[in-house]
Amino acid sequence: MLKDYATVWDNCLRTIRRNVNSQSFKTWFEPIKPVRLDRDALIIQVPNKFFYEWLEEHYVALLKMTIRQELGETGRLEYQILMNKNQEEQNQTSTPTKKGKDIHAPGGIDTGSIKNPFVIPGIKKLKIDPQINPSYTFDNFIEGDCNRLARSAGLAVAKKPGGTAFNPLVIFGDVGLGKTHLAQAIGNDILRNNPTKTVLYVSSEKFTNQIIESIRNNAVNDFVNFYQQIDILIVDDIQFLANKVKTQEIFFHIFNQLHQGGKQVILTSDRPPKDLDGMAERLISRFKWGLSADLQAPDLETRMAILESKMNQEGLELPYDVCEFICYNIKNNIRELEGVLISIVAQSTLNRREIDIGLTKEVIKNFVTQMSKEITVPFIQKLVADHFDVPVDKLKGQTRKRGIVIARQLSMYLAKNLTNKSLKAIGENFGGRDHSTVIYSCKAVQDLLDTDMIFKDTVTDLEKKIKMSLNEK
Ligand code: ADP
Ligand code: MG
């Protein structure tokens, strides 16, 4: 007796309905459409790959049993995966009949044969806007000790996405140190060298909102489906996924799919993976599979190089001493460095003022909080102690070790020359020494300056550093 496919599927559904709860039935079986009967195979259409995998994972035994009941011992199911809406529309005119590809039955036949159900002959790959800013490149990501590892790992990943041990690549560091720039530089490089790769940049915030939206619209499957098509996924600021259980769960699923498929995942975070509180342990352990590379605050030379590069980009020119002044004072955030540069230029244009240290100081004060205009004795003590690598306390104590004595005397000398404090006030800052000790110290330093060129250079450097700094309190 010949059966038609709709009747066969109806009968199957009747059995299935008795075996699963109504919510599952609604979610996983109602959306299935029978397509045709091909001898002992019933072809059914499912909305996406995720759907198919879910059925495979959870209902394979039930489906097998049901279909055999209807079609006999050799009966089997074949799946057809419906492409998502955009793809359908995009391809409707070109190949309207080839929406899907028949894939294997869950009844145990040829389960290893599907690799990627989205690459279907005759159907173009979905074009996805990578959401990447083309101006973030490796060329303008200045290299320094602070970023060498992360930058070279980024270059390696860009050269061979998914093909290095750096998967995922986790770039972490404080705000404004270049995480987004570096992550996007990788994306840009890949897009330039492999235009067929699908790259996607997404902030964790956007990712989370997309998930919330897809849950609301009952479209989580489409969401997951979409992300599974990405070859290089960049998720920025994953610390914002902390404590978002559902988002983490879905991200975990997507991550695994991509990673297993040899796709590249790049993540950024404001702290190392192990310190991501509120993140599921299984996710943290995945993050550690690849490489975590940090970005540190750049040193003075690197800051100067970055500032110069920004000026070139913007077509600006600033006097050298102004650049130096900016870089001495903005240490921990490159975005601030740029902010200061732009503000100085804006202030100078708006108020028709020459760009000099005076204007620069005013601008910088708006960026750096807790600034004091004055050079203070404790500030000098700290700089000198750091330079000689001795604890500040020792400058105030009684130690007669030569290195410490010199640092102590030099601090007094600089305090006398660079502050307007009285000799008595200076002495008080050094464990209550009296003014004659300060005079004696200044004399000793002066003698050394007159005879020791190296010492003289050191002192000149320190003086410059102190004058250049708007000292933090
Ligand atoms: P984060 O994402 O870590 O907060 P961003 O990537 O947004 O930091 O970087 C802040 C700004 O600093 C950006 O404009 C970026 O171009 C710039 N920047 C950071 N590091 C470098 C670098 N090494 N060379 C040039 N510019 C940099
Ligand atoms: Mg960022």
Side-chain angles (χ1 to χ4, degrees):
M1 185 185 66
L2 260 174
K3 292 180 178 175
D4 80 287
Y5 66 89
T7 315
V8 171
W9 184 240
D10 267 354
N11 292 343
C12 290
L13 283 183
R14 208 161 299 138
T15 311
I16 292 165
R17 196 196 291 273
R18 281 199 304 272
N19 286 283
V20 303
N21 69 41
S22 67
Q23 187 56 45
S24 303
F25 185 80
K26 239 179 129 116
T27 311
W28 300 109
F29 296 97
E30 276 184 4
I32 297 176
K33 281 203 200 109
V35 180
R36 64 174 192 275
L37 258 180
D38 191 354
R39 270 173 294 185
D40 46 5
L42 174 67
I43 290 105
I44 58 171
Q45 190 183 63
V46 295
N48 54 47
K49 187 184 174 217
F50 180 70
F51 211 98
Y52 146 75
E53 283 173 348
W54 187 274
L55 289 172
E56 271 274 78
E57 207 175 311
H58 297 88
Y59 300 108
V60 63
L62 175 62
L63 284 167
K64 202 159 145 184
M65 184 267 283
T66 317
I67 200 75
R68 285 186 183 168
Q69 190 178 298
E70 287 305 306
L71 296 177
E73 269 309 289
T74 54
R76 62 201 165 89
L77 269 182
E78 279 184 12
Y79 287 68
Q80 200 174 71
I81 293 175
L82 188 69
M83 304 312 291
N84 71 32
K85 286 199 195 73
N86 290 344
Q87 261 170 315
E88 245 185 299
E89 272 158 24
Q90 198 179 340
N91 294 300
Q92 231 159 27
T93 47
S94 54
T95 48
T97 54
K98 277 196 187 169
K99 266 191 230 154
K101 179 188 176 188
D102 291 353
I103 52 172
H104 72 102
I109 299 165
D110 191 22
T111 32
S113 74
I114 44 157
K115 289 260 158 29
N116 182 350
F118 299 102
V119 182
I120 289 167
I123 292 189
K124 278 181 276 162
K125 227 179 154 192
L126 186 65
K127 206 81 201 119
I128 290 170
D129 179 349
Q131 312 282 327
I132 282 189
N133 178 345
S135 61
Y136 285 144
T137 64
F138 278 110
D139 284 347
N140 59 25
F141 190 80
I142 305 297
E143 182 172 349
D145 288 343
C146 54
N147 62 32
R148 207 175 310 279
L149 173 68
R151 190 177 187 278
S152 57
L155 275 167
V157 164
K159 210 178 269 170
K160 252 178 130 189
T164 68
F166 311 149
N167 199 14
L169 174 63
V170 183
I171 302 164
F172 68 93
D174 282 341
V175 63
L177 293 183
K179 300 182 294 293
T180 301
H181 185 143
L182 182 56
Q184 294 217 358
I186 301 171
N188 270 314
D189 210 57
I190 295 173
L191 284 170
R192 207 185 51 221
N193 295 323
N194 309 281
T196 55
K197 295 265 187 214
T198 306
V199 178
L200 182 70
Y201 167 91
V202 66
S203 67
S204 294
E205 216 179 1
K206 188 163 176 188
F207 184 80
T208 306
N209 288 337
Q210 285 175 343
I211 288 181
I212 293 168
E213 181 90 346
S214 74
I215 292 172
R216 191 181 308 134
N217 297 332
N218 225 341
V220 174
N221 297 338
D222 287 348
F223 177 84
V224 172
N225 188 2
F226 172 82
Y227 273 89
Q228 282 172 0
Q229 301 172 79
I230 310 299
D231 297 315
I232 292 95
L233 178 64
I234 305 167
V235 186
D236 207 355
D237 289 318
I238 54 166
Q239 72 274 9
F240 292 130
L241 300 182
N243 302 317
K244 298 185 176 132
V245 177
K246 187 74 193 163
T247 304
Q248 287 182 26
E249 198 181 293
I250 294 171
F251 180 59
F252 181 72
H253 182 73
I254 291 171
F255 180 95
N256 285 337
Q257 293 288 328
L258 294 179
H259 198 273
Q260 277 162 23
K263 306 301 175 60
Q264 180 70 46
V265 180
I266 299 158
L267 307 169
T268 79
S269 161
D270 70 350
R271 64 204 79 179
K274 68 173 173 47
D275 296 341
L276 284 163
D277 296 334
M279 193 72 83
E281 210 33 66
R282 57 182 190 168
L283 266 175
I284 293 182
S285 87
R286 293 296 189 280
F287 298 159
K288 292 183 194 157
W289 278 354
L291 176 77
S292 300
D294 66 334
L295 294 176
Q296 302 203 335
D299 55 24
L300 181 65
E301 285 73 34
T302 311
R303 297 200 294 276
M304 287 293 278
I306 291 173
L307 189 64
E308 200 186 317
S309 149
K310 297 289 167 195
M311 289 194 304
N312 286 338
Q313 265 177 63
E314 308 284 334
L316 299 170
E317 224 169 306
L318 260 56
Y320 186 79
D321 62 335
V322 167
C323 293
E324 238 186 355
F325 191 85
I326 297 172
C327 291
Y328 262 109
N329 287 288
I330 308 287
K331 300 185 186 111
N332 300 318
N333 187 328
I334 298 167
R335 193 173 296 123
E336 269 181 19
L337 205 64
E338 293 171 352
V340 168
L341 173 69
I342 302 299
S343 297
I344 289 172
V345 175
Q347 287 288 338
S348 127
T349 322
L350 289 173
N351 303 324
R352 293 170 204 274
R353 280 183 60 180
E354 199 189 330
I355 296 182
D356 57 11
I357 299 275
L359 175 69
T360 307
K361 262 189 195 166
E362 281 170 34
V363 169
I364 288 184
K365 262 182 244 137
N366 295 327
F367 279 82
V368 183
T369 45
Q370 287 220 311
M371 197 73 97
S372 86
K373 274 169 272 173
E374 262 175 283
I375 296 169
T376 63
V377 180
F379 177 68
I380 292 173
Q381 287 173 324
K382 171 144 193 352
L383 260 176
V384 174
D386 282 354
H387 179 85
F388 287 93
D389 203 16
V390 300
V392 173
D393 286 353
K394 293 267 189 291
L395 301 182
K396 302 175 187 173
Q398 302 301 321
T399 319
R400 299 296 311 159
K401 273 201 195 131
R402 184 166 162 77
I404 289 168
V405 170
I406 290 181
R408 186 186 295 137
Q409 292 179 336
L410 179 57
S411 304
M412 291 187 204
Y413 169 90
L414 292 169
K416 175 173 169 285
N417 290 339
L418 301 176
T419 72
N420 43 22
K421 291 273 179 279
S422 66
L423 296 172
K424 182 167 181 283
I426 293 172
E428 274 163 12
N429 275 283
F430 288 83
R433 289 177 156 83
D434 66 21
H435 78 281
S436 61
T437 311
V438 180
I439 293 173
Y440 174 82
S441 296
C442 292
K443 174 86 178 60
V445 169
Q446 192 57 56
D447 287 348
L448 209 51
L449 281 174
D450 293 340
T451 52
D452 185 336
M453 292 308 285
I454 296 174
F455 183 69
K456 192 170 174 180
D457 284 348
T458 305
V459 175
T460 311
D461 267 5
L462 279 169
E463 270 175 346
K464 183 168 174 190
K465 225 179 198 167
I466 293 165
K467 281 194 219 149
M468 276 295 204
S469 300
L470 283 167
N471 21 321
E472 286 153 50
K473 266 180 189 159

